[in-house]
Amino acid sequence: MVTESLNAVLGGLGLFLVGMWLMSDGLKLAAGNTLRDLLHSWTYTRVRALGTGFMITGLVQSSSAVTVATIGFANAGLLNLEQAIWVIFGSNVGTTMTGWIVALIGFKVNIEFLALPLIGIGMLIRLTGKKSRRAAMGQALTGFGLFFLGISVLKDGFIGQFSDYTLPGIEDAGLHFMLLYMLLGVLLTTLMQSSSAAMVITLGAAESGVITLSSAAAVVIGANLGTTTTAILSVWGATATAKRVAASHVLFNLITASIAILIITPLLALVAFAQDLMQLSQAPAVTLALFHTAFNILGVIVMWPIADRVVQMLEHRFVSIHEITSRPMYLDDTSLQVPAVAVEALLKELDRVKQMALQKSEHTVSLEIATADTGSADTEALITHIGNYVSKLSQMDLPDAIAGALPDIIHIAQQYNLIEDICNDYAELQDKVQLNDEDLLQQVNEYKHLVAQLLLLIENLEDETNVNQLDEKLRAVEDEYDTLKYRILKGGSEGKLSMVSVDALVQQTGLLRRMCRQWAKAMRRMQAVTDVTLKEKSSEKK
């Protein structure tokens, strides 16, 4: 008899999980881009983000799916950290809807009368709809039917032999059992990767008397906490943004679980009072569903006044190398009141961008096989900060010389960014180059050596004399470019190079010349801006 009951519990759990999977996937497919659009456009305030997380989770019946999607959206920059954490908080409240469905429908109606037609109709729609949204809705209906059928089998399993056993309750066995039952909830959710499945098992056990109400409440708290394992696993080795969103999920559930476990007895009493007041059934399943909703709402209330501090705290955690290098080191709003100091800070920040572009240029010239990297993202981020700072500075009362230098600063920053783009374009062509002619290879290397000399001069650029030398180096590159281009085309005409290699080499050679020209233009502008700054400092001293 015990074996039959155990088989029923396992089979019912399997049907429930399959139903949840089919229903969740079907609803997501049927919704198409709607869920993405909702997450992106309905989350501009914390109330809307909270409501969006609740609504979507209630719709797809999977807080894990919503959590992972939110992490992905935040990582892609479609949601900021504050929007993402409120979607997560709303998702935690939304996941309590499964308990209500089970409590109010799953244990109260003739499930086979409801479930079997849903499975049949759903599969009929699925088979006739092919790959349309109608087919996805058919899959969701089938999943919904299996969902309820699993609940029915699970309930019968508990009502069988297991109903003769009752696990020790928190009240009878001591408070240390509270943590044990909570750990059981965490374990169930982690193993099945579904808090809904853990919730159904707990409701079934409570309805059949296998577990006392207070012990079941502790398991529900643990199941709620166990949902964080999906978020933790999904961000293993992920970006800093993803880790921050996952950390907000863990933090919310830890705070919520801690409060709920500490006030479990008075909270259950309050839930019982609410059941009487709302004239709800006194069944254990209904009590637990209300309890689950109550402590998640309590968690939202607790987080509401401290959310801004949580965001600030998380923004300084899991800091990536990219975020360190892309943050400005010298730009401070307090310097805006002294224009000369502000411009000096801009020039120092601009020099950081220069060093990034210079390093990438040298890397491109020195390697036989150039590779594109993510350094451009750091440069673009710094340039954005520089642009914003220039915009603030332009609102101040500025001397004409400094006001005239600001557009040049923006132009120089854009030229550095263009140089990195040129390096990336060069690297993308490298796989197409097959160069076996030793003489031509030597001439290519000589050309690169001239470019490298120009870059070395830029690295040590200090005064007007160096700028004049830069023009000489640029002319040498231009002359060698014409010679090398002719040799490449001649190699192609003689069959020493494939046409693919000829095209790629000509493009790479041209890109290096273009890069040198951009460096020369940027350095001339930089020299002019530096001269203006020095003159302004001298006039202030006088």
Side-chain angles (χ1 to χ4, degrees), residues 32 35-36 117 169 193 347 491 494 498 505 516:
L35 298 183
R36 183 194 66 187
Q193 285 296 290
L347 294 182
E494 293 174 350
S498 68
L505 270 173
C516 292

Side-chain angles (χ1 to χ4, degrees), residues 501-516:
S501 292
V502 169
D503 182 60
L505 270 173
V506 168
Q507 287 190 63
Q508 284 188 325
T509 306
L511 286 169
L512 289 182
R513 180 181 66 163
R514 187 181 172 205
M515 180 183 75
C516 292

Side-chain angles (χ1 to χ4, degrees), residues 461 463-472 523-524 527:
L461 195 66
D463 53 33
E464 192 173 331
T465 304
N466 292 113
V467 173
N468 294 332
Q469 291 177 0
L470 186 61
D471 290 336
E472 294 177 9
M523 291 305 97
R524 291 190 196 100
Q527 186 67 53

Side-chain angles (χ1 to χ4, degrees), residues 270-285:
L270 182 63
V271 165
F273 173 75
Q275 280 178 275
D276 286 335
L277 191 65
M278 293 185 287
Q279 297 182 342
L280 293 174
S281 167
Q282 298 299 311

Side-chain angles (χ1 to χ4, degrees), residues 443 480-490 506 509 513:
Q443 190 158 359
E480 187 64 21
Y481 165 78
D482 292 330
T483 304
L484 179 56
K485 183 178 178 181
Y486 173 78
R487 284 290 307 275
I488 293 170
L489 295 172
K490 185 179 178 184
V506 168
T509 306
R513 180 181 66 163

Side-chain angles (χ1 to χ4, degrees), residues 437 489-497:
D437 186 297
L489 295 172
K490 185 179 178 184
S493 67
E494 293 174 350
K496 295 178 181 180
L497 289 173

Side-chain angles (χ1 to χ4, degrees), residues 421-487:
D421 289 340
I422 290 171
C423 292
N424 285 333
D425 292 341
Y426 182 97
E428 289 176 0
L429 291 165
Q430 191 65 39
D431 289 339
K432 298 179 180 180
V433 176
Q434 296 292 331
L435 187 54
N436 299 318
D437 186 297
E438 290 296 330
D439 292 337
L440 186 55
L441 178 60
Q442 183 178 352
Q443 190 158 359
V444 169
N445 288 334
E446 288 174 0
Y447 178 65
K448 285 186 177 181
H449 181 66
L450 286 175
V451 175
Q453 286 182 330
L454 182 142
L455 295 175
L456 182 62
L457 184 62
I458 289 170
E459 190 172 356
N460 301 302
L461 195 66
E462 293 179 357
D463 53 33
E464 192 173 331
T465 304
N466 292 113
V467 173
N468 294 332
Q469 291 177 0
L470 186 61
D471 290 336
E472 294 177 9
K473 294 292 184 184
L474 180 59
R475 282 194 294 271
V477 171
E478 296 273 10
D479 292 341
E480 187 64 21
Y481 165 78
D482 292 330
T483 304
L484 179 56
K485 183 178 178 181
Y486 173 78
R487 284 290 307 275

Side-chain angles (χ1 to χ4, degrees), residues 212-276:
T212 64
L213 184 63
S214 55
S215 299
V219 177
V220 169
I221 295 170
N224 197 76
L225 182 59
T227 59
T228 60
T229 58
T230 302
I232 293 170
L233 291 173
S234 70
V235 298
W236 192 265
T239 64
T241 302
K243 289 176 181 177
R244 290 183 191 123
V245 178
S248 72
H249 183 40
V250 173
L251 187 63
F252 177 86
N253 284 49
L254 275 174
I255 292 174
T256 303
S258 299
I259 294 172
I261 206 73
L262 288 173
I263 63 170
I264 188 169
T265 301
L267 189 56
L268 279 171
L270 182 63
V271 165
F273 173 75
Q275 280 178 275
D276 286 335

